[in-house]
């Protein structure tokens, strides 16, 4: 089983739609969670961190469910510019390895 | 402006050849990382370095080598032992080598696309 799993999509949605992505992680020792955005052939960029209480940044809402070991990203009022791949990222602090583990990404295509 | 610079943007390797990808940062970050990304897949960690003159293997280190002689530089060599080197290579850095909860954000370079001739 992969350490971080995401539905690859693509999710094709019309402008203005609300869309949600889920991501599951296998290791309960994971302690930090993030969503990164990656445009085609570009580098990933941090979209938002995910906090236990849930957090919101404009049209984007991230939530964490530790009991079920999944995190989610909700995008409201989708824009054409939201079209990208969204990467779920986790980190574990129980090992000597200090690096983030990335999911394979969920592709979003917002259509006019 | 501070940032991470990767070069070249595109690189072609002949069979049996070693090639080196450059990564430089002027952010004074302690930690640096190399990831590989294949089409439709996530990033896989090749090597990382938390401090000068020290580096650790990631999940797919075989066929690769690195050095960290200077804080700002972390070059990656793709050796002839790497039989499937075609991929998008991403270098990243973070300010905190311990990756504490509040400072785990990675800043990426723009990547190098390596292809085999």
């Amino acid at each position: 089983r992969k350490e971080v799993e995401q539905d690859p999509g693509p999710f094709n949605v019309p402008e203005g739609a609300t869309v949600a992505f889920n991501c599951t992680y296998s290791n309960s020792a994971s302690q930090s969670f993030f969503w990164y955005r990656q445009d085609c052939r570009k580098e990933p960029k941090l979209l938002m961190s995910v906090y236990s209480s849930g957090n919101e940044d404009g049209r984007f809402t991230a939530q964490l469910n530790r009991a079920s070991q999944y995190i989610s990203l909700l995008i409201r009022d989708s824009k054409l510019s939201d079209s990208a791949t969204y990467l779920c990222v986790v980190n574990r602090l129980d090992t000597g390895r200090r690096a983030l583990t990335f999911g394979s990404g969920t592709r979003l295509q917002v259509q006019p | 402006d501070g940032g991470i610079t990767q070069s070249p943007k595109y690189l072609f390797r002949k069979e049996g050849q070693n090639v080196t990808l450059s990564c430089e940062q002027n952010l004074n970050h302690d930690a640096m990382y190399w990831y590989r990304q294949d089409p439709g897949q996530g990033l896989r960690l090749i090597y990382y370095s938390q401090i000068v003159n020290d580096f650790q293997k990631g999940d797919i280190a075989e066929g690769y080598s690195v050095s960290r002689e200077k804080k700002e530089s972390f070059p990656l060599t793709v050796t002839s032992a790497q039989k499937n080197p075609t991929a998008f290579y991403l270098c990243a850095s973070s300010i905190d080598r311990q990756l504490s909860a509040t400072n785990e954000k990675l800043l990426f370079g723009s990547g190098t696309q390596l292809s085999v001739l």
Side-chain angles (χ1 to χ4, degrees), chain A residues 8 31-34 36 38 41-46 49 51 87 91-93 96-105, chain B residues 9 33 35 37 40-43 45 48 50 57-59 88 90 97-101 104-106 108-111 113:
Chain A
Q31 295 194 9
S32 301
F33 309 89
F34 308 87
Y36 277 69
Q38 186 176 26
R41 314 300 285 173
K42 300 284 189 182
E43 73 274 23
K45 294 183 180 178
L46 178 66
S49 303
Y51 302 120
L87 303 171
N91 191 34
R92 294 163 50 189
L93 298 182
R97 199 183 93 172
R98 303 294 188 184
L100 302 180
T101 300
F102 287 74
S104 56
Chain B
K9 191 169 178 65
Y33 312 82
Y35 286 90
Q37 187 175 33
Q41 297 192 31
L43 281 67
L45 183 66
Y48 67 104
Q50 295 174 303
K57 291 183 179 180
D59 298 315
F88 189 48
L90 287 156
R97 65 176 184 246
Q98 293 301 320
L99 284 179
S100 65
E104 292 174 83
K105 302 173 183 60
L106 293 187
F108 285 89
S110 56
Q113 175 63 49

Side-chain angles (χ1 to χ4, degrees), chain B residues 23 28 40 58 73 102 109 111 113-114:
Chain B
C23 179
N28 202 34
S73 178
T102 57
Q113 175 63 49
L114 175 62

Side-chain angles (χ1 to χ4, degrees), chain A residues 4-7 11 18-25 33-36 47-57 59-66 68-76 86-90 106:
Chain A
V4 180
E5 292 207 60
Q6 296 182 250
D7 182 339
F11 283 56
T18 296
V19 61
F21 309 137
N22 285 335
C23 163
T24 57
Y25 58 95
F33 309 89
F34 308 87
W35 285 101
Y36 277 69
L47 179 66
M48 58 197 302
S49 303
V50 186
Y51 302 120
S52 296
S53 55
N55 48 301
E56 189 174 308
D57 182 3
R59 298 182 292 109
F60 298 84
T61 300
Q63 293 192 313
L64 168 65
N65 185 319
R66 285 189 185 272
S68 301
Q69 295 182 206
Y70 79 81
I71 68 174
S72 65
L73 177 67
L74 181 78
I75 305 175
R76 291 182 299 278
Y86 292 84
L87 303 171
C88 173
V89 185
V90 305
T106 296

Side-chain angles (χ1 to χ4, degrees), chain B residues 5 8 17 29 42 47-49 52 56 74 80 86 89 104:
Chain B
T5 302
Q17 186 182 40
H29 283 179
Y47 269 99
Y48 67 104
S49 168
V52 175
Q56 307 294 329
F74 191 40
S80 57
T86 297
Y89 289 85
E104 292 174 83

Side-chain angles (χ1 to χ4, degrees), chain B residues 24-88:
Chain B
E24 304 275 333
Q25 54 101 357
N26 59 2
L27 301 163
N28 202 34
H29 283 179
D30 281 321
M32 297 186 74
Y33 312 82
W34 275 105
Y35 286 90
R36 167 182 171 143
Q37 187 175 33
D38 293 279
Q41 297 192 31
L43 281 67
R44 291 184 289 167
L45 183 66
I46 304 173
Y47 269 99
Y48 67 104
S49 168
Q50 295 174 303
I51 197 168
V52 175
N53 292 322
D54 185 58
F55 48 83
Q56 307 294 329
K57 291 183 179 180
D59 298 315
I60 55 166
E62 187 174 347
Y64 300 97
S65 66
V66 293
S67 64
R68 187 88 186 274
E69 297 175 2
K70 299 185 296 181
K71 188 175 187 178
E72 57 271 21
S73 178
F74 191 40
L76 173 74
T77 296
V78 184
T79 75
S80 57
Q82 173 48 246
K83 298 306 179 188
N84 185 23
T86 297
F88 189 48

